[in-house]
Amino acid sequence: MERQKVLNVLNKLEVIETNGGDSAYMLVENNEENQELLKEAGIPLETALKYGDEETFCILALAYCEGYADLYDGNKLLAFEEKFEMELGEGQNIILYKNNNEHFIAISKDDGRCWIEKLSKQHLYEINTVLKK
């Protein structure tokens, strides 16, 4: 099953309740339409129910715990093609990653906040120059 295919489906589902921070969640309705979309992406109903109940399930928990997502940027769940991650301390990480053949830098905080910037060709050139020294 392709991670990005699953994330595309999860990112399209209508979130009916959300919370950030240490106890973050994103609940979607457990209905026939959402079940069918998950089934088409290769996720059985039993898997979704591990992260919810008969009324709702949490796509954030499903995406992370089942290994589909690497990061939630505040708008959508992301999977990395490649990544380098380093702890900055005090609940912060810096992540250099590649997604859809584009390169990004992210600073992720334990409270769920995330800052992301796309790296330009000039940025990549400068990074490569430093690495070759």
Side-chain angles (χ1 to χ4, degrees), residues 40-106:
E40 289 173 10
I43 300 174
L45 177 59
E46 298 79 37
T47 300
L49 288 177
K50 290 192 317 189
Y51 306 100
D53 54 33
E54 293 179 8
E55 294 178 13
T56 63
F57 56 90
C58 178
I59 60 172
L60 193 60
L62 187 155
Y64 278 105
C65 294
E66 297 295 321
Y68 301 120
D70 294 307
L71 183 69
Y72 177 66
D73 72 359
N75 295 310
K76 64 182 181 252
L77 295 156
L78 302 170
F80 303 149
E81 295 165 24
E82 300 173 33
K83 77 170 182 171
F84 170 80
E85 187 169 356
M86 183 174 69
E87 287 185 33
L88 298 175
E90 297 183 24
Q92 296 183 90
N93 293 319
I94 187 167
I95 308 164
L96 295 170
Y97 70 93
K98 183 178 178 183
N99 182 277
N100 293 325
N101 278 334
E102 296 182 317
H103 296 84
F104 299 85
I105 186 170

Short mmCIF file of all heavy atoms in Angstrom, two decimals, residues 40-106:
data_model
loop_
_atom_site.label_atom_id
_atom_site.label_comp_id
_atom_site.label_asym_id
_atom_site.label_seq_id
_atom_site.Cartn_x
_atom_site.Cartn_y
_atom_site.Cartn_z
N GLU A 40 -10.95 1.78 -0.25
CA GLU A 40 -10.32 1.98 -1.56
C GLU A 40 -8.82 2.29 -1.42
O GLU A 40 -8.04 1.95 -2.31
CB GLU A 40 -11.01 3.12 -2.31
CG GLU A 40 -12.40 2.77 -2.80
CD GLU A 40 -13.15 3.95 -3.39
OE1 GLU A 40 -12.54 5.02 -3.60
OE2 GLU A 40 -14.36 3.82 -3.62
N ALA A 41 -8.44 2.90 -0.30
CA ALA A 41 -7.02 3.20 -0.06
C ALA A 41 -6.29 2.01 0.55
O ALA A 41 -5.07 2.06 0.73
CB ALA A 41 -6.89 4.41 0.86
N GLY A 42 -7.03 0.94 0.88
CA GLY A 42 -6.41 -0.25 1.43
C GLY A 42 -6.42 -0.34 2.95
O GLY A 42 -5.71 -1.16 3.53
N ILE A 43 -7.22 0.50 3.60
CA ILE A 43 -7.30 0.47 5.06
C ILE A 43 -8.60 -0.21 5.47
O ILE A 43 -9.69 0.30 5.21
CB ILE A 43 -7.27 1.90 5.65
CG1 ILE A 43 -5.97 2.61 5.27
CG2 ILE A 43 -7.43 1.86 7.17
CD1 ILE A 43 -5.93 4.05 5.68
N PRO A 44 -8.51 -1.39 6.13
CA PRO A 44 -9.72 -2.07 6.56
C PRO A 44 -10.42 -1.31 7.70
O PRO A 44 -9.77 -0.58 8.46
CB PRO A 44 -9.23 -3.43 7.08
CG PRO A 44 -7.77 -3.49 6.78
CD PRO A 44 -7.31 -2.12 6.40
N LEU A 45 -11.71 -1.50 7.82
CA LEU A 45 -12.49 -0.85 8.87
C LEU A 45 -11.94 -1.21 10.26
O LEU A 45 -11.90 -0.36 11.15
CB LEU A 45 -13.97 -1.24 8.77
CG LEU A 45 -14.90 -0.68 9.84
CD1 LEU A 45 -14.87 0.85 9.85
CD2 LEU A 45 -16.31 -1.19 9.64
N GLU A 46 -11.49 -2.44 10.43
CA GLU A 46 -10.95 -2.88 11.72
C GLU A 46 -9.77 -2.00 12.14
O GLU A 46 -9.59 -1.70 13.31
CB GLU A 46 -10.50 -4.34 11.66
CG GLU A 46 -11.62 -5.33 11.38
CD GLU A 46 -12.00 -5.39 9.90
OE1 GLU A 46 -11.12 -5.29 9.03
OE2 GLU A 46 -13.21 -5.51 9.64
N THR A 47 -8.95 -1.59 11.17
CA THR A 47 -7.80 -0.73 11.46
C THR A 47 -8.28 0.64 11.93
O THR A 47 -7.79 1.17 12.92
CB THR A 47 -6.89 -0.60 10.24
OG1 THR A 47 -6.43 -1.90 9.86
CG2 THR A 47 -5.70 0.29 10.53
N ALA A 48 -9.23 1.22 11.22
CA ALA A 48 -9.76 2.53 11.61
C ALA A 48 -10.39 2.48 12.99
O ALA A 48 -10.22 3.40 13.80
CB ALA A 48 -10.77 3.03 10.57
N LEU A 49 -11.08 1.39 13.29
CA LEU A 49 -11.75 1.27 14.58
C LEU A 49 -10.77 1.15 15.74
O LEU A 49 -11.14 1.42 16.89
CB LEU A 49 -12.72 0.09 14.58
CG LEU A 49 -13.98 0.28 13.74
CD1 LEU A 49 -14.84 -0.98 13.73
CD2 LEU A 49 -14.79 1.48 14.23
N LYS A 50 -9.52 0.77 15.48
CA LYS A 50 -8.51 0.76 16.55
C LYS A 50 -8.28 2.18 17.07
O LYS A 50 -7.78 2.36 18.17
CB LYS A 50 -7.18 0.20 16.03
CG LYS A 50 -7.21 -1.27 15.74
CD LYS A 50 -5.84 -1.90 15.50
CE LYS A 50 -4.89 -1.16 14.65
NZ LYS A 50 -3.68 -1.91 14.28
N TYR A 51 -8.66 3.18 16.27
CA TYR A 51 -8.41 4.58 16.61
C TYR A 51 -9.71 5.35 16.80
O TYR A 51 -9.74 6.56 16.61
CB TYR A 51 -7.53 5.22 15.53
CG TYR A 51 -6.28 4.42 15.33
CD1 TYR A 51 -6.17 3.53 14.27
CD2 TYR A 51 -5.24 4.50 16.24
CE1 TYR A 51 -5.03 2.75 14.11
CE2 TYR A 51 -4.10 3.72 16.09
CZ TYR A 51 -4.01 2.86 15.02
OH TYR A 51 -2.88 2.09 14.88
N GLY A 52 -10.75 4.65 17.17
CA GLY A 52 -12.02 5.32 17.41
C GLY A 52 -13.09 4.36 17.87
O GLY A 52 -12.80 3.36 18.53
N ASP A 53 -14.31 4.65 17.47
CA ASP A 53 -15.45 3.83 17.87
C ASP A 53 -16.46 3.81 16.73
O ASP A 53 -16.12 4.13 15.60
CB ASP A 53 -16.06 4.35 19.17
CG ASP A 53 -16.44 5.84 19.11
OD1 ASP A 53 -16.83 6.31 18.02
OD2 ASP A 53 -16.34 6.51 20.14
N GLU A 54 -17.70 3.47 17.05
CA GLU A 54 -18.72 3.38 16.01
C GLU A 54 -19.13 4.74 15.46
O GLU A 54 -19.73 4.81 14.39
CB GLU A 54 -19.94 2.63 16.55
CG GLU A 54 -19.64 1.17 16.82
CD GLU A 54 -20.83 0.42 17.37
OE1 GLU A 54 -21.94 0.99 17.41
OE2 GLU A 54 -20.64 -0.73 17.76
N GLU A 55 -18.83 5.83 16.17
CA GLU A 55 -19.23 7.16 15.73
C GLU A 55 -18.12 7.93 15.01
O GLU A 55 -18.37 8.58 14.01
CB GLU A 55 -19.71 7.97 16.93
CG GLU A 55 -20.98 7.43 17.55
CD GLU A 55 -21.42 8.22 18.76
OE1 GLU A 55 -20.90 9.34 18.98
OE2 GLU A 55 -22.29 7.73 19.49
N THR A 56 -16.90 7.89 15.56
CA THR A 56 -15.79 8.65 14.99
C THR A 56 -14.50 7.84 15.10
O THR A 56 -14.42 6.88 15.87
CB THR A 56 -15.56 9.98 15.73
OG1 THR A 56 -15.20 9.71 17.09
CG2 THR A 56 -16.78 10.89 15.66
N PHE A 57 -13.49 8.27 14.33
CA PHE A 57 -12.15 7.74 14.52
C PHE A 57 -11.15 8.86 14.26
O PHE A 57 -11.45 9.86 13.59
CB PHE A 57 -11.86 6.50 13.67
CG PHE A 57 -12.07 6.67 12.20
CD1 PHE A 57 -11.05 7.08 11.38
CD2 PHE A 57 -13.31 6.39 11.63
CE1 PHE A 57 -11.23 7.24 10.02
CE2 PHE A 57 -13.50 6.54 10.27
CZ PHE A 57 -12.47 6.96 9.46
N CYS A 58 -9.95 8.69 14.83
CA CYS A 58 -8.92 9.72 14.77
C CYS A 58 -7.95 9.43 13.63
O CYS A 58 -7.18 8.45 13.69
CB CYS A 58 -8.17 9.78 16.10
SG CYS A 58 -6.84 11.01 16.09
N ILE A 59 -7.97 10.28 12.61
CA ILE A 59 -7.07 10.06 11.47
C ILE A 59 -5.63 10.42 11.81
O ILE A 59 -4.70 9.90 11.18
CB ILE A 59 -7.54 10.80 10.19
CG1 ILE A 59 -7.60 12.30 10.40
CG2 ILE A 59 -8.87 10.23 9.73
CD1 ILE A 59 -7.86 13.09 9.13
N LEU A 60 -5.43 11.28 12.79
CA LEU A 60 -4.06 11.63 13.20
C LEU A 60 -3.39 10.40 13.83
O LEU A 60 -2.27 10.03 13.46
CB LEU A 60 -4.09 12.80 14.17
CG LEU A 60 -2.79 13.49 14.48
CD1 LEU A 60 -2.16 14.08 13.24
CD2 LEU A 60 -3.01 14.59 15.52
N ALA A 61 -4.08 9.74 14.76
CA ALA A 61 -3.53 8.54 15.38
C ALA A 61 -3.36 7.42 14.36
O ALA A 61 -2.32 6.75 14.33
CB ALA A 61 -4.46 8.08 16.51
N LEU A 62 -4.35 7.24 13.50
CA LEU A 62 -4.26 6.21 12.47
C LEU A 62 -3.04 6.44 11.58
O LEU A 62 -2.25 5.53 11.33
CB LEU A 62 -5.55 6.21 11.63
CG LEU A 62 -5.72 5.11 10.61
CD1 LEU A 62 -7.21 4.87 10.34
CD2 LEU A 62 -5.03 5.39 9.31
N ALA A 63 -2.86 7.67 11.13
CA ALA A 63 -1.77 8.00 10.21
C ALA A 63 -0.40 7.78 10.84
O ALA A 63 0.51 7.24 10.21
CB ALA A 63 -1.91 9.44 9.70
N TYR A 64 -0.23 8.22 12.07
CA TYR A 64 1.07 8.07 12.75
C TYR A 64 1.32 6.63 13.21
O TYR A 64 2.39 6.08 12.97
CB TYR A 64 1.19 9.02 13.94
CG TYR A 64 1.60 10.41 13.55
CD1 TYR A 64 0.68 11.46 13.55
CD2 TYR A 64 2.90 10.70 13.18
CE1 TYR A 64 1.05 12.74 13.19
CE2 TYR A 64 3.28 11.98 12.81
CZ TYR A 64 2.36 12.99 12.82
OH TYR A 64 2.73 14.27 12.46
N CYS A 65 0.34 6.05 13.88
CA CYS A 65 0.55 4.72 14.47
C CYS A 65 0.67 3.61 13.43
O CYS A 65 1.36 2.62 13.66
CB CYS A 65 -0.57 4.39 15.45
SG CYS A 65 -0.58 5.45 16.91
N GLU A 66 0.03 3.77 12.30
CA GLU A 66 0.13 2.77 11.24
C GLU A 66 1.30 3.06 10.29
O GLU A 66 1.50 2.33 9.32
CB GLU A 66 -1.19 2.69 10.46
CG GLU A 66 -2.38 2.23 11.29
CD GLU A 66 -2.24 0.80 11.80
OE1 GLU A 66 -1.73 -0.06 11.06
OE2 GLU A 66 -2.63 0.55 12.97
N GLY A 67 2.03 4.14 10.55
CA GLY A 67 3.24 4.42 9.77
C GLY A 67 3.03 5.11 8.44
O GLY A 67 3.92 5.10 7.58
N TYR A 68 1.89 5.76 8.25
CA TYR A 68 1.63 6.45 6.99
C TYR A 68 2.20 7.87 6.98
O TYR A 68 2.65 8.34 5.95
CB TYR A 68 0.12 6.52 6.70
CG TYR A 68 -0.54 5.17 6.60
CD1 TYR A 68 -1.57 4.82 7.46
CD2 TYR A 68 -0.12 4.24 5.65
CE1 TYR A 68 -2.18 3.58 7.38
CE2 TYR A 68 -0.73 3.00 5.56
CZ TYR A 68 -1.75 2.68 6.42
OH TYR A 68 -2.34 1.46 6.35
N ALA A 69 2.14 8.56 8.11
CA ALA A 69 2.52 9.98 8.16
C ALA A 69 3.80 10.18 8.96
O ALA A 69 4.06 9.49 9.94
CB ALA A 69 1.40 10.81 8.79
N ASP A 70 4.58 11.16 8.52
CA ASP A 70 5.78 11.58 9.23
C ASP A 70 5.58 12.92 9.92
O ASP A 70 6.27 13.23 10.88
CB ASP A 70 6.96 11.73 8.25
CG ASP A 70 7.38 10.40 7.67
OD1 ASP A 70 7.63 9.46 8.44
OD2 ASP A 70 7.44 10.29 6.42
N LEU A 71 4.64 13.73 9.41
CA LEU A 71 4.46 15.07 9.94
C LEU A 71 3.06 15.58 9.60
O LEU A 71 2.52 15.26 8.54
CB LEU A 71 5.50 16.02 9.31
CG LEU A 71 5.54 17.47 9.79
CD1 LEU A 71 6.04 17.54 11.23
CD2 LEU A 71 6.45 18.29 8.88
N TYR A 72 2.49 16.34 10.52
CA TYR A 72 1.26 17.09 10.26
C TYR A 72 1.65 18.55 10.27
O TYR A 72 2.16 19.06 11.25
CB TYR A 72 0.20 16.80 11.33
CG TYR A 72 -1.05 17.61 11.13
CD1 TYR A 72 -1.86 17.40 10.02
CD2 TYR A 72 -1.42 18.59 12.04
CE1 TYR A 72 -3.00 18.15 9.83
CE2 TYR A 72 -2.57 19.34 11.86
CZ TYR A 72 -3.35 19.11 10.74
OH TYR A 72 -4.48 19.86 10.54
N ASP A 73 1.44 19.24 9.15
CA ASP A 73 1.90 20.63 9.02
C ASP A 73 0.87 21.66 9.44
O ASP A 73 1.05 22.85 9.21
CB ASP A 73 2.38 20.89 7.59
CG ASP A 73 1.26 20.96 6.57
OD1 ASP A 73 0.08 20.79 6.92
OD2 ASP A 73 1.57 21.20 5.38
N GLY A 74 -0.20 21.22 10.06
CA GLY A 74 -1.26 22.13 10.47
C GLY A 74 -2.41 22.17 9.47
O GLY A 74 -3.50 22.63 9.78
N ASN A 75 -2.15 21.65 8.26
CA ASN A 75 -3.18 21.58 7.22
C ASN A 75 -3.36 20.19 6.66
O ASN A 75 -4.45 19.81 6.28
CB ASN A 75 -2.85 22.53 6.06
CG ASN A 75 -2.87 23.97 6.47
OD1 ASN A 75 -3.82 24.43 7.08
ND2 ASN A 75 -1.82 24.70 6.16
N LYS A 76 -2.25 19.45 6.58
CA LYS A 76 -2.34 18.11 5.99
C LYS A 76 -1.26 17.21 6.56
O LYS A 76 -0.25 17.67 7.09
CB LYS A 76 -2.24 18.18 4.48
CG LYS A 76 -0.93 18.70 3.97
CD LYS A 76 -0.93 18.78 2.44
CE LYS A 76 0.39 19.28 1.96
NZ LYS A 76 0.41 20.58 1.45
N LEU A 77 -1.52 15.92 6.44
CA LEU A 77 -0.56 14.89 6.84
C LEU A 77 0.44 14.68 5.71
O LEU A 77 0.06 14.64 4.53
CB LEU A 77 -1.30 13.59 7.14
CG LEU A 77 -2.25 13.64 8.33
CD1 LEU A 77 -3.33 12.58 8.23
CD2 LEU A 77 -1.46 13.49 9.62
N LEU A 78 1.72 14.53 6.07
CA LEU A 78 2.78 14.40 5.08
C LEU A 78 3.59 13.13 5.29
O LEU A 78 3.79 12.70 6.42
CB LEU A 78 3.75 15.58 5.16
CG LEU A 78 3.19 16.97 4.98
CD1 LEU A 78 4.24 18.02 5.33
CD2 LEU A 78 2.72 17.15 3.54
N ALA A 79 4.08 12.56 4.19
CA ALA A 79 5.03 11.45 4.23
C ALA A 79 6.31 11.92 3.55
O ALA A 79 6.26 12.57 2.50
CB ALA A 79 4.46 10.23 3.50
N PHE A 80 7.43 11.61 4.15
CA PHE A 80 8.71 12.03 3.60
C PHE A 80 9.27 10.96 2.66
O PHE A 80 9.18 9.77 2.95
CB PHE A 80 9.76 12.26 4.70
CG PHE A 80 9.35 13.27 5.75
CD1 PHE A 80 9.80 13.12 7.04
CD2 PHE A 80 8.55 14.34 5.44
CE1 PHE A 80 9.46 14.03 8.02
CE2 PHE A 80 8.19 15.26 6.41
CZ PHE A 80 8.65 15.11 7.70
N GLU A 81 9.88 11.42 1.57
CA GLU A 81 10.63 10.51 0.71
C GLU A 81 12.00 10.27 1.33
O GLU A 81 12.51 9.15 1.32
CB GLU A 81 10.77 11.11 -0.69
CG GLU A 81 9.45 11.26 -1.41
CD GLU A 81 9.54 12.17 -2.62
OE1 GLU A 81 10.63 12.35 -3.19
OE2 GLU A 81 8.49 12.72 -3.00
N GLU A 82 12.59 11.32 1.86
CA GLU A 82 13.88 11.27 2.56
C GLU A 82 13.82 12.31 3.66
O GLU A 82 13.13 13.32 3.53
CB GLU A 82 15.03 11.62 1.62
CG GLU A 82 15.20 10.72 0.43
CD GLU A 82 16.27 11.23 -0.53
OE1 GLU A 82 17.25 11.83 -0.07
OE2 GLU A 82 16.09 11.05 -1.74
N LYS A 83 14.61 12.09 4.74
CA LYS A 83 14.62 13.09 5.80
C LYS A 83 15.90 13.01 6.61
O LYS A 83 16.56 11.98 6.68
CB LYS A 83 13.42 12.96 6.73
CG LYS A 83 13.54 11.83 7.73
CD LYS A 83 12.45 11.90 8.77
CE LYS A 83 12.63 10.79 9.79
NZ LYS A 83 11.76 10.91 10.92
N PHE A 84 16.22 14.15 7.20
CA PHE A 84 17.27 14.25 8.20
C PHE A 84 16.65 15.02 9.35
O PHE A 84 16.09 16.10 9.16
CB PHE A 84 18.49 15.01 7.66
CG PHE A 84 19.48 15.35 8.74
CD1 PHE A 84 20.37 14.41 9.21
CD2 PHE A 84 19.50 16.63 9.29
CE1 PHE A 84 21.26 14.73 10.22
CE2 PHE A 84 20.39 16.95 10.30
CZ PHE A 84 21.28 15.99 10.76
N GLU A 85 16.74 14.46 10.56
CA GLU A 85 16.11 15.10 11.72
C GLU A 85 17.12 15.24 12.84
O GLU A 85 17.93 14.34 13.08
CB GLU A 85 14.92 14.26 12.19
CG GLU A 85 14.11 14.91 13.27
CD GLU A 85 12.79 14.18 13.52
OE1 GLU A 85 12.47 13.23 12.80
OE2 GLU A 85 12.09 14.60 14.45
N MET A 86 17.06 16.38 13.52
CA MET A 86 17.96 16.64 14.63
C MET A 86 17.19 17.34 15.74
O MET A 86 16.41 18.26 15.48
CB MET A 86 19.11 17.54 14.16
CG MET A 86 20.13 17.81 15.22
SD MET A 86 21.56 18.75 14.58
CE MET A 86 20.82 20.33 14.26
N GLU A 87 17.39 16.86 16.97
CA GLU A 87 16.76 17.50 18.13
C GLU A 87 17.49 18.79 18.46
O GLU A 87 18.71 18.83 18.54
CB GLU A 87 16.79 16.58 19.34
CG GLU A 87 15.83 15.42 19.23
CD GLU A 87 15.79 14.58 20.49
OE1 GLU A 87 15.95 15.14 21.60
OE2 GLU A 87 15.59 13.37 20.35
N LEU A 88 16.72 19.86 18.65
CA LEU A 88 17.30 21.15 19.04
C LEU A 88 17.22 21.36 20.54
O LEU A 88 17.82 22.29 21.07
CB LEU A 88 16.57 22.30 18.33
CG LEU A 88 16.65 22.31 16.81
CD1 LEU A 88 15.78 23.42 16.26
CD2 LEU A 88 18.08 22.48 16.36
N GLY A 89 16.49 20.50 21.22
CA GLY A 89 16.29 20.66 22.66
C GLY A 89 15.01 21.42 22.94
O GLY A 89 14.39 21.99 22.04
N GLU A 90 14.60 21.42 24.19
CA GLU A 90 13.39 22.12 24.63
C GLU A 90 12.17 21.80 23.77
O GLU A 90 11.38 22.67 23.44
CB GLU A 90 13.64 23.63 24.68
CG GLU A 90 14.70 24.03 25.68
CD GLU A 90 14.88 25.53 25.77
OE1 GLU A 90 13.94 26.27 25.42
OE2 GLU A 90 15.97 25.95 26.20
N GLY A 91 12.04 20.53 23.37
CA GLY A 91 10.86 20.11 22.62
C GLY A 91 10.82 20.56 21.18
O GLY A 91 9.74 20.65 20.61
N GLN A 92 11.96 20.83 20.58
CA GLN A 92 12.00 21.27 19.19
C GLN A 92 12.90 20.35 18.36
O GLN A 92 13.94 19.91 18.84
CB GLN A 92 12.56 22.69 19.08
CG GLN A 92 11.72 23.74 19.75
CD GLN A 92 12.30 25.11 19.52
OE1 GLN A 92 11.96 25.76 18.55
NE2 GLN A 92 13.19 25.53 20.40
N ASN A 93 12.49 20.10 17.13
CA ASN A 93 13.28 19.34 16.18
C ASN A 93 13.38 20.12 14.88
O ASN A 93 12.44 20.82 14.49
CB ASN A 93 12.62 17.99 15.86
CG ASN A 93 12.60 17.07 17.05
OD1 ASN A 93 13.56 16.99 17.79
ND2 ASN A 93 11.49 16.38 17.23
N ILE A 94 14.52 19.97 14.22
CA ILE A 94 14.66 20.52 12.88
C ILE A 94 14.69 19.33 11.92
O ILE A 94 15.32 18.31 12.19
CB ILE A 94 15.93 21.40 12.74
CG1 ILE A 94 15.94 22.09 11.39
CG2 ILE A 94 17.20 20.59 12.95
CD1 ILE A 94 16.95 23.21 11.27
N ILE A 95 13.94 19.46 10.84
CA ILE A 95 13.82 18.37 9.89
C ILE A 95 14.07 18.92 8.49
O ILE A 95 13.42 19.89 8.07
CB ILE A 95 12.40 17.75 9.93
CG1 ILE A 95 12.01 17.38 11.35
CG2 ILE A 95 12.31 16.55 9.00
CD1 ILE A 95 10.52 17.12 11.54
N LEU A 96 15.00 18.33 7.79
CA LEU A 96 15.19 18.58 6.36
C LEU A 96 14.54 17.39 5.67
O LEU A 96 14.87 16.24 5.98
CB LEU A 96 16.66 18.67 6.00
CG LEU A 96 17.43 19.83 6.60
CD1 LEU A 96 18.93 19.66 6.35
CD2 LEU A 96 16.96 21.14 6.01
N TYR A 97 13.61 17.64 4.76
CA TYR A 97 12.93 16.52 4.13
C TYR A 97 12.59 16.79 2.68
O TYR A 97 12.57 17.93 2.21
CB TYR A 97 11.69 16.11 4.91
CG TYR A 97 10.54 17.09 4.87
CD1 TYR A 97 9.53 16.98 3.92
CD2 TYR A 97 10.43 18.11 5.80
CE1 TYR A 97 8.46 17.86 3.90
CE2 TYR A 97 9.37 18.99 5.80
CZ TYR A 97 8.39 18.86 4.84
OH TYR A 97 7.34 19.74 4.82
N LYS A 98 12.33 15.69 1.98
CA LYS A 98 11.95 15.72 0.57
C LYS A 98 10.55 15.15 0.47
O LYS A 98 10.25 14.10 1.04
CB LYS A 98 12.93 14.88 -0.24
CG LYS A 98 12.69 14.89 -1.72
CD LYS A 98 13.79 14.06 -2.41
CE LYS A 98 13.58 13.98 -3.89
NZ LYS A 98 14.60 13.12 -4.52
N ASN A 99 9.67 15.87 -0.23
CA ASN A 99 8.30 15.46 -0.45
C ASN A 99 7.90 15.86 -1.85
O ASN A 99 8.05 17.04 -2.22
CB ASN A 99 7.38 16.09 0.60
CG ASN A 99 5.95 15.66 0.47
OD1 ASN A 99 5.22 16.22 -0.34
ND2 ASN A 99 5.53 14.69 1.24
N ASN A 100 7.43 14.91 -2.64
CA ASN A 100 7.04 15.17 -4.04
C ASN A 100 8.16 15.85 -4.82
O ASN A 100 7.93 16.81 -5.55
CB ASN A 100 5.75 15.99 -4.11
CG ASN A 100 4.55 15.23 -3.60
OD1 ASN A 100 4.45 14.03 -3.79
ND2 ASN A 100 3.65 15.93 -2.95
N ASN A 101 9.38 15.37 -4.62
CA ASN A 101 10.58 15.87 -5.30
C ASN A 101 10.90 17.33 -4.99
O ASN A 101 11.61 17.98 -5.75
CB ASN A 101 10.50 15.66 -6.82
CG ASN A 101 10.88 14.25 -7.20
OD1 ASN A 101 11.63 13.59 -6.49
ND2 ASN A 101 10.39 13.79 -8.31
N GLU A 102 10.37 17.84 -3.90
CA GLU A 102 10.71 19.18 -3.44
C GLU A 102 11.34 19.06 -2.05
O GLU A 102 11.03 18.12 -1.31
CB GLU A 102 9.48 20.09 -3.40
CG GLU A 102 8.88 20.33 -4.77
CD GLU A 102 7.67 21.25 -4.71
OE1 GLU A 102 6.84 21.08 -3.80
OE2 GLU A 102 7.57 22.11 -5.59
N HIS A 103 12.21 20.00 -1.71
CA HIS A 103 12.92 19.97 -0.45
C HIS A 103 12.40 21.05 0.49
O HIS A 103 12.10 22.16 0.05
CB HIS A 103 14.42 20.16 -0.68
CG HIS A 103 15.03 19.05 -1.47
ND1 HIS A 103 14.99 19.02 -2.85
CD2 HIS A 103 15.67 17.93 -1.08
CE1 HIS A 103 15.59 17.93 -3.28
NE2 HIS A 103 16.02 17.24 -2.23
N PHE A 104 12.33 20.69 1.78
CA PHE A 104 11.78 21.59 2.79
C PHE A 104 12.63 21.53 4.05
O PHE A 104 13.31 20.56 4.30
CB PHE A 104 10.35 21.16 3.16
CG PHE A 104 9.38 21.20 2.01
CD1 PHE A 104 9.27 20.12 1.16
CD2 PHE A 104 8.59 22.30 1.79
CE1 PHE A 104 8.39 20.14 0.10
CE2 PHE A 104 7.70 22.34 0.73
CZ PHE A 104 7.60 21.26 -0.12
N ILE A 105 12.50 22.59 4.84
CA ILE A 105 13.05 22.60 6.20
C ILE A 105 11.87 22.88 7.12
O ILE A 105 11.02 23.72 6.83
CB ILE A 105 14.17 23.65 6.37
CG1 ILE A 105 14.80 23.53 7.76
CG2 ILE A 105 13.68 25.06 6.07
CD1 ILE A 105 16.08 24.34 7.94
N ALA A 106 11.83 22.13 8.22
CA ALA A 106 10.74 22.30 9.18
C ALA A 106 11.31 22.36 10.58
O ALA A 106 12.29 21.69 10.89
CB ALA A 106 9.76 21.13 9.08
#
